[in-house]
Amino acid sequence: MSASKLDTVDFNFIMAECLRVGKRLSGDNIMEEHKLEYNGPHGGLGMMITAPARIQLKNKEGNYPQLHLSYAAHDRFFDIARRQINSKRLGSHITVSEFVSFLMDEFYIYVIIDDETDDQRGYSRLVDRTIKNAFKKMDSERFYFPMLALGLDHDIEIGSAKIVCRNTIFNMAKPFFDKEIINGADDFCDSGEFPYNHFLIVNVTKRSNKLRARVAKNIAEFIVGIFHVFSEHYNISHEFISLSFNSVPRYNGFYFTNKNEKLDYNFSSKGKVLWSDVFWSKFQSDFKDDLKNIISKLIEMALDPSSDNLISDRLVDSIYMFSSSLYDKDKAFRVVKLTAALERLVSLTTDKNSGITTLNFKNRVASLAAVYYGDLDKWMIIAQKMYDMRSGIVHGSSSIYRGGNEINTNEYSKLAARAIISACFGFSSLGLDTPDKDKILSDFYKSLEYHCGANTKEK
């Protein structure tokens, strides 16, 4: 049945609370009773269910009573919503608060209009109608995000997404909006150190209202993450590309100094714009055949994730983590995030109590990098250093702010980028829609380590 036994218990509790609170607020001393019932910081805000709009439209002259909730009953609606979303894998289609809104509408109809029985079968019909109506209200949408893409002088497609020049989008928008809106958008695009001269177009399939924007931004960040991986692979700074809703890279800096009562100043420039045009040339040269198919498939799977756990989820998460690490101003935490990105690729649940977690990480990560790029011994040394540094920071044996040595994150980000690119091909050979099972990945990594000559046991 759609409603679980625990859902039935919660629905019965909500029903009983509606009767109790309704009776309490129907007496002569309603103001005092209202204060006693709703003594939280927001009072009775959101503690009332009214007739859904579609019911009132059918009979505008109807007299529809209100259902009053207690704080506890209100929380039970959210408990039911979370269980339903988790059990039916609806998290990529609707938010909990939106599900609750639909659920409350159907609960009102169930209690007031239909006067159904308060049993598991009846509550299952209530839940089924909630999900059905929620999906009816879902829609697809196209998003256009202003983007910094230095060095790009033409449109580019990557999977279902596309980067186009700014003029294309403004010419499309001008007939639909007042001049004030267009001028405001124009000013926004010109507000940074470098203007947003491109737009990233993301197509979001059927989702709830709140979730569409969230999914669109996630996919946009994932696509930028893909560019970040390749920029590190090409040894070109990632700071030539940025989305408008993320922090914009600072290319120039300035500060004053005072030494021995002598005031001085410092202007600096990172020179990060250099080679941005080279990136796009290299990327378009590489983005074809198998690589194009793999990346396009990953974007598609990130946009519409399966209800099952697949090995492609590891790649998507790893690219997100890798991209996030590049935004971290603290190099120590950048190493932690880079390590986490690689752990998402190579860690298995069976590793936890094996006693060789570090060895597995080193061998698997180094083998991923070496299978296409060679230098196994070099990557094993870097992977070991990387994991040791991460462990020291996470487990408290290393002090971050006391550290006097400059952390060289370049070798770690290069290892991570190359391991991720290699994993794209490796996981694709297994099938990106392959279930994320330890046995499958364990056999994959054993074969990879054997092929590359990595040791599987500590000596």
Side-chain angles (χ1 to χ4, degrees), residues 44 63 66 71 111 124 162 209 223 236 328 341 402 406 448 454:
N63 183 22
Q66 300 165 337
Y71 291 141
V111 174
S124 291
K162 190 174 183 179
N209 288 336
I223 291 168
I236 295 173
D328 202 313
R402 286 178 180 272
E406 179 73 12
L448 185 65

Side-chain angles (χ1 to χ4, degrees), residues 236-457:
I236 295 173
S237 170
H238 66 277
E239 293 188 334
F240 67 92
I241 188 165
S242 178
L243 290 161
S244 59
F245 53 82
N246 285 333
S247 57
V248 180
R250 296 294 302 176
Y251 298 95
N252 300 310
F254 169 79
Y255 56 87
F256 286 116
T257 65
N258 190 331
K259 185 173 72 172
N260 299 326
E261 300 303 320
K262 183 180 180 181
L263 197 64
D264 203 351
Y265 63 89
N266 181 285
F267 283 102
S268 62
S269 177
K270 293 181 179 179
K272 297 300 185 184
V273 185
L274 198 62
W275 310 122
S276 56
D277 56 335
V278 175
F279 169 85
W280 296 111
S281 176
K282 283 178 171 287
F283 181 78
Q284 286 207 284
S285 177
D286 289 339
F287 190 64
K288 58 187 178 183
D289 302 329
D290 288 345
L291 180 62
K292 182 176 181 178
N293 292 333
I294 292 167
I295 296 299
S296 299
K297 182 67 174 177
L298 278 177
I299 293 172
E300 178 187 330
M301 298 177 86
L303 185 58
D304 285 306
S306 169
S307 57
D308 300 317
N309 294 325
L310 307 178
I311 62 171
S312 57
D313 297 333
R314 289 175 175 258
L315 282 170
V316 173
D317 290 344
S318 184
I319 291 170
Y320 269 123
M321 293 176 188
F322 179 90
S323 182
S324 174
S325 74
L326 302 182
Y327 289 110
D328 202 313
K329 63 181 181 180
D330 189 290
K331 289 188 176 182
F333 285 115
R334 193 181 302 173
V335 173
V336 172
K337 289 181 179 179
L338 286 169
T339 310
L342 291 175
E343 285 182 294
R344 184 68 178 103
L345 286 180
V346 305
S347 294
L348 308 177
T349 54
T350 50
D351 293 341
K352 291 181 179 177
N353 299 314
S354 66
I356 54 171
T357 303
T358 307
L359 183 66
N360 283 335
F361 175 87
K362 177 181 69 175
N363 287 347
R364 291 168 185 171
V365 169
S367 297
L368 278 173
V371 70
Y372 287 108
Y373 304 102
D375 289 327
L376 175 69
D377 291 340
K378 181 184 81 170
W379 298 124
M380 289 184 76
I381 292 170
I382 295 172
Q384 181 72 59
K385 286 167 53 182
M386 184 180 192
Y387 196 85
D388 289 344
M389 182 174 293
R390 169 260 183 205
S391 297
I393 295 167
V394 171
H395 299 300
S397 59
S398 298
S399 173
I400 296 171
Y401 85 95
R402 286 178 180 272
N405 295 325
E406 179 73 12
I407 299 174
N408 178 17
T409 60
N410 291 337
E411 59 182 3
Y412 303 137
S413 58
K414 183 175 289 187
L415 168 61
R418 295 189 171 186
I420 289 170
I421 294 172
S422 176
C424 285
F425 288 104
F427 285 13
S428 177
S429 69
L430 297 174
L432 293 176
D433 54 357
T434 298
D436 186 357
K437 302 290 186 183
D438 272 14
K439 179 65 168 63
I440 295 172
L441 288 172
S442 178
D443 289 346
F444 168 77
Y445 281 117
K446 284 179 182 177
S447 175
L448 185 65
E449 290 172 36
Y450 177 81
H451 175 78
C452 294
N455 294 325
T456 56
K457 293 182 180 180

